[in-house]
Amino acid sequence: MRRRTPPPPPPLPQRDGVDPVRVRLPPGDAWETVRDHLVARLAAGAEVIDGMLETGRIVDAAGRAVPRDMAYVPGMSVWFHRDLPDEERVPFPIDVIYRDEHLVVADKPHFLATTPRGSHVAETALARLRRQLDIPALGAAHRLDRLTAGLVMFTVRPEERGAYQSLFRDRRVAKEYEAVAPYDPALALPRTVRSRIVKERGVLAAQEVEGEPNAVSRVELLEHRDGHARYRLTPGTGQTHQLRVHMSALGVPILGDPLYPVVTAPVAPGDFRRPLQLLARVLEFTDPVTGREHRFVSPRVLRAWSSYAEWAAGCLRCPRLTRHATSAEGAETPPAVRPVRKPAPERRAPAPPAPAAAC
Protein backbone atom coordinates (compact mmCIF):
# COMPACT_ATOMS: atom_id res chain seq x y z
CA MET A 1 0.00 0.00 0.00
CA ARG A 2 1.38 3.40 -0.99
CA ARG A 3 2.28 5.60 1.95
CA ARG A 4 0.88 9.09 2.08
CA THR A 5 3.40 11.89 1.99
CA PRO A 6 3.28 13.66 5.35
CA PRO A 7 2.24 17.32 5.18
CA PRO A 8 4.96 19.93 5.57
CA PRO A 9 5.47 21.34 9.07
CA PRO A 10 3.42 24.47 9.71
CA PRO A 11 5.43 27.70 9.70
CA LEU A 12 3.19 29.20 12.40
CA PRO A 13 3.08 28.13 16.06
CA GLN A 14 -0.07 26.85 17.70
CA ARG A 15 -2.45 29.22 19.45
CA ASP A 16 -4.29 27.99 22.54
CA GLY A 17 -3.35 24.45 21.54
CA VAL A 18 -4.89 24.84 18.06
CA ASP A 19 -2.91 24.27 14.86
CA PRO A 20 -2.93 26.83 12.06
CA VAL A 21 -5.13 26.06 9.07
CA ARG A 22 -3.31 24.77 5.99
CA VAL A 23 -4.78 25.36 2.51
CA ARG A 24 -3.18 23.46 -0.35
CA LEU A 25 -3.76 25.03 -3.75
CA PRO A 26 -5.27 22.42 -6.12
CA PRO A 27 -4.30 21.83 -9.78
CA GLY A 28 -5.85 24.16 -12.33
CA ASP A 29 -5.55 27.61 -13.83
CA ALA A 30 -8.90 29.09 -12.86
CA TRP A 31 -7.30 31.63 -10.51
CA GLU A 32 -4.66 34.23 -11.29
CA THR A 33 -3.63 34.87 -7.68
CA VAL A 34 -3.62 33.07 -4.34
CA ARG A 35 -6.03 35.74 -3.13
CA ASP A 36 -8.55 34.90 -5.86
CA HIS A 37 -8.53 31.22 -4.87
CA LEU A 38 -8.93 31.91 -1.15
CA VAL A 39 -11.87 34.23 -1.78
CA ALA A 40 -13.55 31.56 -3.93
CA ARG A 41 -12.77 28.70 -1.55
CA LEU A 42 -13.26 30.08 1.94
CA ALA A 43 -16.55 31.21 3.43
CA ALA A 44 -14.99 34.21 5.16
CA GLY A 45 -15.54 36.50 2.16
CA ALA A 46 -13.35 38.88 0.17
CA GLU A 47 -13.25 41.62 2.80
CA VAL A 48 -11.95 39.28 5.52
CA ILE A 49 -9.42 37.62 3.19
CA ASP A 50 -8.13 41.02 2.05
CA GLY A 51 -7.75 42.12 5.65
CA MET A 52 -5.78 39.00 6.54
CA LEU A 53 -3.47 39.49 3.56
CA GLU A 54 -2.92 43.15 4.38
CA THR A 55 -1.97 42.35 7.99
CA GLY A 56 0.33 39.46 7.08
CA ARG A 57 -1.79 36.77 8.70
CA ILE A 58 -1.56 34.41 5.70
CA VAL A 59 1.92 32.97 5.17
CA ASP A 60 3.75 30.57 2.86
CA ALA A 61 5.82 27.51 3.82
CA ALA A 62 8.74 29.73 4.85
CA GLY A 63 6.54 31.83 7.13
CA ARG A 64 6.62 34.83 4.79
CA ALA A 65 3.50 36.94 4.44
CA VAL A 66 1.60 36.23 1.22
CA PRO A 67 1.15 39.45 -0.77
CA ARG A 68 -2.24 40.25 -2.25
CA ASP A 69 -0.94 39.86 -5.80
CA MET A 70 1.03 36.60 -5.34
CA ALA A 71 0.60 34.42 -8.45
CA TYR A 72 -1.34 31.21 -8.09
CA VAL A 73 0.95 28.13 -8.00
CA PRO A 74 -0.76 24.69 -8.01
CA GLY A 75 0.46 22.51 -5.14
CA MET A 76 1.57 25.44 -3.03
CA SER A 77 0.37 25.60 0.59
CA VAL A 78 -0.49 28.61 2.71
CA TRP A 79 -1.23 28.78 6.43
CA PHE A 80 -3.20 31.05 8.73
CA HIS A 81 -4.89 31.06 12.10
CA ARG A 82 -8.66 31.24 12.03
CA ASP A 83 -10.45 33.64 14.34
CA LEU A 84 -11.57 31.48 17.24
CA PRO A 85 -15.30 31.44 17.88
CA ASP A 86 -16.72 32.54 21.21
CA GLU A 87 -16.85 29.25 23.09
CA GLU A 88 -18.51 28.39 26.36
CA ARG A 89 -15.98 26.78 28.68
CA VAL A 90 -16.95 23.21 29.57
CA PRO A 91 -16.76 23.43 33.39
CA PHE A 92 -15.48 19.88 33.98
CA PRO A 93 -11.87 18.65 34.09
CA ILE A 94 -10.28 16.19 31.69
CA ASP A 95 -8.25 13.66 33.68
CA VAL A 96 -5.08 11.98 32.43
CA ILE A 97 -5.14 8.38 33.63
CA TYR A 98 -2.06 7.14 31.75
CA ARG A 99 0.93 8.71 30.08
CA ASP A 100 4.19 7.43 28.63
CA GLU A 101 6.51 8.55 25.85
CA HIS A 102 4.11 7.23 23.21
CA LEU A 103 0.56 7.58 24.58
CA VAL A 104 -1.73 9.73 26.64
CA VAL A 105 -5.04 8.19 27.74
CA ALA A 106 -7.55 10.68 29.11
CA ASP A 107 -10.97 10.47 30.67
CA LYS A 108 -13.03 13.02 28.76
CA PRO A 109 -16.06 14.66 30.40
CA HIS A 110 -19.43 14.98 28.74
CA PHE A 111 -19.88 18.00 26.40
CA LEU A 112 -16.19 18.31 25.50
CA ALA A 113 -15.40 17.62 21.83
CA THR A 114 -12.38 15.42 21.14
CA THR A 115 -10.80 17.50 18.35
CA PRO A 116 -11.41 20.96 16.87
CA ARG A 117 -14.43 20.97 14.61
CA GLY A 118 -17.07 23.54 13.73
CA SER A 119 -17.79 25.85 16.65
CA HIS A 120 -15.70 23.75 19.07
CA VAL A 121 -12.03 24.68 18.62
CA ALA A 122 -10.03 25.69 21.72
CA GLU A 123 -12.56 24.04 24.06
CA THR A 124 -11.70 20.51 22.96
CA ALA A 125 -9.93 17.62 24.63
CA LEU A 126 -6.99 17.82 22.22
CA ALA A 127 -6.40 21.56 22.64
CA ARG A 128 -6.80 21.37 26.42
CA LEU A 129 -4.33 18.50 26.77
CA ARG A 130 -1.78 20.20 24.52
CA ARG A 131 -1.91 23.18 26.88
CA GLN A 132 -2.03 21.17 30.10
CA LEU A 133 0.78 18.77 29.24
CA ASP A 134 2.82 21.13 27.04
CA ILE A 135 2.87 18.62 24.17
CA PRO A 136 2.22 20.64 20.99
CA ALA A 137 2.58 17.52 18.80
CA LEU A 138 -0.15 15.61 20.64
CA GLY A 139 -2.71 14.10 18.26
CA ALA A 140 -5.90 12.08 18.59
CA ALA A 141 -5.77 8.36 17.76
CA HIS A 142 -9.58 8.26 17.48
CA ARG A 143 -12.61 10.36 18.39
CA LEU A 144 -15.39 10.14 20.91
CA ASP A 145 -18.69 11.94 20.44
CA ARG A 146 -18.87 15.29 22.21
CA LEU A 147 -21.82 14.20 24.35
CA THR A 148 -20.20 10.90 25.39
CA ALA A 149 -17.80 10.77 28.34
CA GLY A 150 -14.94 8.36 28.86
CA LEU A 151 -11.62 7.12 27.57
CA VAL A 152 -9.86 8.71 24.61
CA MET A 153 -6.37 7.85 23.38
CA PHE A 154 -3.86 10.42 22.10
CA THR A 155 -0.43 9.95 20.54
CA VAL A 156 2.68 11.85 21.57
CA ARG A 157 4.80 11.37 18.44
CA PRO A 158 3.36 12.29 15.03
CA GLU A 159 5.38 9.58 13.29
CA GLU A 160 3.65 6.92 15.44
CA ARG A 161 0.12 8.24 15.06
CA GLY A 162 -0.70 6.05 12.07
CA ALA A 163 0.20 2.88 13.96
CA TYR A 164 -2.21 3.71 16.77
CA GLN A 165 -4.96 4.92 14.45
CA SER A 166 -4.74 1.62 12.58
CA LEU A 167 -5.71 -0.18 15.80
CA PHE A 168 -9.13 1.46 15.62
CA ARG A 169 -9.43 1.23 11.84
CA ASP A 170 -8.68 -2.50 11.90
CA ARG A 171 -10.86 -3.13 15.01
CA ARG A 172 -7.96 -4.34 17.11
CA VAL A 173 -9.15 -2.37 20.16
CA ALA A 174 -11.63 -4.02 22.51
CA LYS A 175 -14.05 -1.31 23.62
CA GLU A 176 -16.76 -1.43 26.26
CA TYR A 177 -19.30 1.26 26.99
CA GLU A 178 -21.74 1.73 29.83
CA ALA A 179 -25.16 3.36 29.63
CA VAL A 180 -28.08 4.18 31.87
CA ALA A 181 -31.49 3.74 30.27
CA PRO A 182 -35.02 2.61 31.17
CA TYR A 183 -35.44 -0.94 32.41
CA ASP A 184 -37.79 -3.21 30.44
CA PRO A 185 -38.37 -6.59 32.14
CA ALA A 186 -39.75 -7.95 28.87
CA LEU A 187 -36.52 -7.25 26.99
CA ALA A 188 -34.50 -10.46 26.76
CA LEU A 189 -30.82 -9.78 27.45
CA PRO A 190 -28.01 -10.32 26.71
CA ARG A 191 -28.42 -10.08 22.96
CA THR A 192 -26.49 -9.03 19.88
CA VAL A 193 -28.16 -6.37 17.74
CA ARG A 194 -27.43 -6.29 14.01
CA SER A 195 -28.80 -3.70 11.60
CA ARG A 196 -27.90 -1.37 8.78
CA ILE A 197 -27.33 2.21 9.90
CA VAL A 198 -26.90 5.19 7.58
CA LYS A 199 -26.00 8.74 8.53
CA GLU A 200 -26.57 11.40 5.88
CA ARG A 201 -24.49 14.56 5.81
CA GLY A 202 -26.42 17.48 7.24
CA VAL A 203 -28.94 15.24 9.05
CA LEU A 204 -28.51 15.10 12.82
CA ALA A 205 -29.78 11.59 13.48
CA ALA A 206 -28.69 8.32 11.89
CA GLN A 207 -31.32 5.84 10.73
CA GLU A 208 -31.77 2.10 10.51
CA VAL A 209 -32.67 1.00 7.00
CA GLU A 210 -33.27 -2.25 5.17
CA GLY A 211 -30.21 -4.03 3.86
CA GLU A 212 -27.15 -5.97 4.89
CA PRO A 213 -26.15 -5.16 8.48
CA ASN A 214 -23.18 -2.86 8.91
CA ALA A 215 -23.59 -2.28 12.66
CA VAL A 216 -23.24 -4.90 15.40
CA SER A 217 -23.65 -4.23 19.15
CA ARG A 218 -23.71 -6.55 22.16
CA VAL A 219 -26.12 -5.39 24.89
CA GLU A 220 -25.96 -6.78 28.44
CA LEU A 221 -27.93 -5.91 31.55
CA LEU A 222 -25.67 -5.22 34.55
CA GLU A 223 -28.24 -4.24 37.17
CA HIS A 224 -31.52 -2.40 37.56
CA ARG A 225 -33.49 -0.47 40.14
CA ASP A 226 -36.40 1.98 40.30
CA GLY A 227 -37.29 1.60 36.63
CA HIS A 228 -33.78 2.25 35.29
CA ALA A 229 -30.93 -0.04 34.39
CA ARG A 230 -27.19 -0.02 33.86
CA TYR A 231 -26.11 -1.68 30.63
CA ARG A 232 -22.79 -2.87 29.22
CA LEU A 233 -22.54 -2.13 25.49
CA THR A 234 -19.87 -3.71 23.32
CA PRO A 235 -19.68 -2.40 19.74
CA GLY A 236 -18.49 -4.84 17.09
CA THR A 237 -18.43 -2.10 14.47
CA GLY A 238 -18.03 1.68 14.48
CA GLN A 239 -21.02 3.30 12.79
CA THR A 240 -21.95 6.84 13.82
CA HIS A 241 -24.23 6.84 16.90
CA GLN A 242 -24.44 3.04 16.66
CA LEU A 243 -25.00 2.31 20.36
CA ARG A 244 -27.52 5.11 20.71
CA VAL A 245 -29.45 3.92 17.66
CA HIS A 246 -29.51 0.28 18.82
CA MET A 247 -30.60 1.11 22.38
CA SER A 248 -33.41 3.26 21.02
CA ALA A 249 -34.47 0.51 18.63
CA LEU A 250 -34.71 -1.89 21.58
CA GLY A 251 -37.14 0.51 23.25
CA VAL A 252 -34.71 1.62 25.96
CA PRO A 253 -33.15 4.88 24.69
CA ILE A 254 -30.18 6.15 26.66
CA LEU A 255 -31.10 8.83 29.19
CA GLY A 256 -30.30 12.35 28.07
CA ASP A 257 -30.13 11.52 24.36
CA PRO A 258 -31.23 14.57 22.34
CA LEU A 259 -31.52 12.63 19.05
CA TYR A 260 -33.02 9.22 19.76
CA PRO A 261 -35.79 8.24 19.58
CA VAL A 262 -36.73 11.80 18.49
CA VAL A 263 -34.68 14.90 17.76
CA THR A 264 -35.31 17.51 20.44
CA ALA A 265 -34.74 21.25 20.32
CA PRO A 266 -31.08 22.22 20.82
CA VAL A 267 -30.13 23.33 24.32
CA ALA A 268 -28.84 26.83 24.94
CA PRO A 269 -25.05 27.38 24.85
CA GLY A 270 -23.62 26.82 28.29
CA ASP A 271 -26.38 24.45 29.39
CA PHE A 272 -24.44 21.46 30.76
CA ARG A 273 -27.29 19.86 32.66
CA ARG A 274 -28.54 16.29 32.12
CA PRO A 275 -25.67 14.90 30.02
CA LEU A 276 -26.12 11.86 27.82
CA GLN A 277 -25.70 8.82 30.08
CA LEU A 278 -23.16 7.04 27.90
CA LEU A 279 -19.60 6.30 28.98
CA ALA A 280 -16.63 4.79 27.13
CA ARG A 281 -15.61 2.56 30.03
CA VAL A 282 -12.84 0.27 28.70
CA LEU A 283 -10.06 0.36 26.09
CA GLU A 284 -7.98 -2.81 25.69
CA PHE A 285 -5.29 -3.40 23.05
CA THR A 286 -1.75 -4.49 22.31
CA ASP A 287 0.52 -1.47 21.89
CA PRO A 288 1.72 -1.55 18.25
CA VAL A 289 4.96 0.25 19.16
CA THR A 290 6.03 -1.33 22.47
CA GLY A 291 4.12 -4.64 22.31
CA ARG A 292 2.74 -4.03 25.79
CA GLU A 293 -0.75 -5.24 26.69
CA HIS A 294 -2.92 -2.35 27.87
CA ARG A 295 -6.30 -2.35 29.58
CA PHE A 296 -7.63 1.01 30.72
CA VAL A 297 -10.83 1.43 32.74
CA SER A 298 -12.58 4.72 33.40
CA PRO A 299 -13.52 5.17 37.08
CA ARG A 300 -16.35 7.55 36.18
CA VAL A 301 -19.82 6.93 37.58
CA LEU A 302 -22.75 8.00 35.45
CA ARG A 303 -24.76 10.57 37.38
CA ALA A 304 -28.19 9.13 36.56
CA TRP A 305 -27.13 5.88 38.21
CA SER A 306 -25.49 7.31 41.33
CA SER A 307 -28.37 9.77 41.84
CA TYR A 308 -31.14 9.89 39.28
CA ALA A 309 -32.80 12.77 41.16
CA GLU A 310 -29.66 14.92 40.89
CA TRP A 311 -29.22 14.13 37.20
CA ALA A 312 -32.88 14.86 36.44
CA ALA A 313 -32.70 18.13 38.39
CA GLY A 314 -29.69 19.24 36.35
CA CYS A 315 -27.04 19.40 39.07
CA LEU A 316 -23.63 20.36 37.72
CA ARG A 317 -21.41 18.79 40.37
CA CYS A 318 -18.63 16.75 38.82
CA PRO A 319 -16.16 15.39 41.41
CA ARG A 320 -12.59 14.88 40.20
CA LEU A 321 -11.70 11.25 39.64
CA THR A 322 -9.25 9.54 41.99
CA ARG A 323 -9.21 5.90 40.93
CA HIS A 324 -6.78 4.57 38.36
CA ALA A 325 -6.74 2.40 35.27
CA THR A 326 -5.82 -1.26 35.57
CA SER A 327 -3.26 -3.11 33.52
CA ALA A 328 -3.93 -6.28 31.57
CA GLU A 329 -2.64 -8.29 34.54
CA GLY A 330 -5.15 -6.62 36.85
CA ALA A 331 -2.59 -4.65 38.82
CA GLU A 332 -3.24 -1.03 39.50
CA THR A 333 -1.35 1.25 37.12
CA PRO A 334 -0.33 4.75 38.22
CA PRO A 335 -2.01 7.53 36.30
CA ALA A 336 1.28 8.47 34.65
CA VAL A 337 4.55 6.72 33.95
CA ARG A 338 6.28 10.03 34.51
CA PRO A 339 4.94 13.02 36.43
CA VAL A 340 2.35 15.02 34.56
CA ARG A 341 3.41 18.61 34.34
CA LYS A 342 1.49 21.33 36.04
CA PRO A 343 -1.40 22.39 33.82
CA ALA A 344 -0.81 25.59 31.92
CA PRO A 345 -3.26 28.41 32.56
CA GLU A 346 -6.21 28.32 30.19
CA ARG A 347 -8.25 31.11 28.65
CA ARG A 348 -11.19 32.13 30.70
CA ALA A 349 -14.59 31.84 29.09
CA PRO A 350 -17.97 33.08 30.33
CA ALA A 351 -19.29 31.01 33.20
CA PRO A 352 -22.24 28.74 32.34
CA PRO A 353 -25.67 29.73 33.56
CA ALA A 354 -26.69 28.49 36.97
CA PRO A 355 -28.59 25.19 36.98
CA ALA A 356 -32.31 25.18 37.45
CA ALA A 357 -32.00 23.40 40.78
CA ALA A 358 -29.39 23.77 43.52
CA CYS A 359 -28.09 20.46 44.82
Side-chain angles (χ1 to χ4, degrees), residues 20 42 49 61 129 147 173 246 252 291:
L42 304 179
I49 298 299
L129 288 172
L147 299 184
V173 179
H246 281 167
V252 285

Side-chain angles (χ1 to χ4, degrees), residues 82-102:
R82 71 186 102 180
D83 292 324
L84 297 181
D86 292 330
E87 298 179 66
E88 292 284 350
R89 176 165 172 77
V90 178
F92 312 120
I94 179 169
D95 293 83
V96 174
I97 66 169
Y98 178 83
R99 178 182 173 185
D100 64 21
E101 62 269 30
H102 308 283

Side-chain angles (χ1 to χ4, degrees), residues 102-106 114-115 125-126 129-130 137-144 151-158 160-170 173 175 283 285 288:
H102 308 283
L103 289 178
V104 171
V105 178
T114 303
T115 56
L126 178 61
L129 288 172
R130 283 174 170 174
L138 195 71
H142 65 121
R143 286 194 307 201
L144 197 61
L151 299 182
V152 187
M153 187 164 72
F154 299 86
T155 61
V156 175
R157 300 174 177 175
E160 296 174 349
R161 191 166 305 152
Y164 289 102
Q165 288 176 334
S166 69
L167 290 175
F168 294 88
R169 182 193 65 215
D170 300 337
V173 179
K175 297 184 284 186
L283 287 178
F285 58 94

Side-chain angles (χ1 to χ4, degrees), residues 37-114:
H37 174 72
L38 295 178
V39 169
R41 181 170 176 176
L42 304 179
E47 185 176 349
V48 172
I49 298 299
D50 288 341
M52 295 174 69
L53 290 168
E54 290 168 5
T55 55
R57 291 177 56 191
I58 301 176
V59 302
D60 63 13
R64 298 177 298 235
V66 173
R68 182 187 174 104
D69 59 352
M70 176 178 276
Y72 184 88
V73 179
M76 173 185 175
S77 293
V78 297
W79 285 261
F80 60 88
H81 277 288
R82 71 186 102 180
D83 292 324
L84 297 181
D86 292 330
E87 298 179 66
E88 292 284 350
R89 176 165 172 77
V90 178
F92 312 120
I94 179 169
D95 293 83
V96 174
I97 66 169
Y98 178 83
R99 178 182 173 185
D100 64 21
E101 62 269 30
H102 308 283
L103 289 178
V104 171
V105 178
D107 202 334
K108 183 184 81 68
H110 298 284
F111 301 108
L112 188 67
T114 303

Side-chain angles (χ1 to χ4, degrees), residues 113-277:
T114 303
T115 56
R117 187 177 184 183
S119 61
H120 306 284
V121 183
E123 267 301 286
T124 58
L126 178 61
R128 272 201 194 181
L129 288 172
R130 283 174 170 174
R131 300 192 297 263
Q132 285 179 207
L133 306 180
D134 191 22
I135 308 178
L138 195 71
H142 65 121
R143 286 194 307 201
L144 197 61
D145 282 350
R146 186 178 68 88
L147 299 184
T148 303
L151 299 182
V152 187
M153 187 164 72
F154 299 86
T155 61
V156 175
R157 300 174 177 175
E159 65 271 20
E160 296 174 349
R161 191 166 305 152
Y164 289 102
Q165 288 176 334
S166 69
L167 290 175
F168 294 88
R169 182 193 65 215
D170 300 337
R171 300 176 187 170
R172 289 183 284 135
V173 179
K175 297 184 284 186
E176 292 181 12
Y177 289 71
E178 190 173 303
V180 179
Y183 171 63
D184 181 0
L187 180 62
L189 295 175
R191 70 167 63 188
T192 299
V193 182
R194 294 179 174 86
S195 70
R196 184 166 190 81
I197 295 176
V198 296
K199 173 72 166 64
E200 297 180 4
R201 182 181 294 273
V203 179
L204 293 176
Q207 292 184 333
E208 287 186 312
V209 298
E210 295 293 332
E212 182 178 353
N214 63 356
V216 180
S217 305
R218 177 76 171 170
V219 181
E220 301 172 72
L221 176 66
L222 296 176
E223 55 184 325
H224 68 90
R225 64 170 182 243
D226 301 327
H228 297 100
R230 194 164 64 93
Y231 298 89
R232 179 188 293 122
L233 309 177
T234 307
T237 53
Q239 298 299 320
T240 300
H241 298 173
Q242 171 180 318
L243 298 176
R244 296 161 65 181
V245 171
H246 281 167
M247 289 294 284
S248 180
L250 291 175
V252 285
I254 299 172
L255 295 184
D257 198 325
L259 299 181
Y260 308 98
V262 295
V263 177
T264 58
V267 299
D271 186 348
F272 301 109
R273 301 169 295 170
R274 291 182 289 278
L276 174 71
Q277 295 299 280

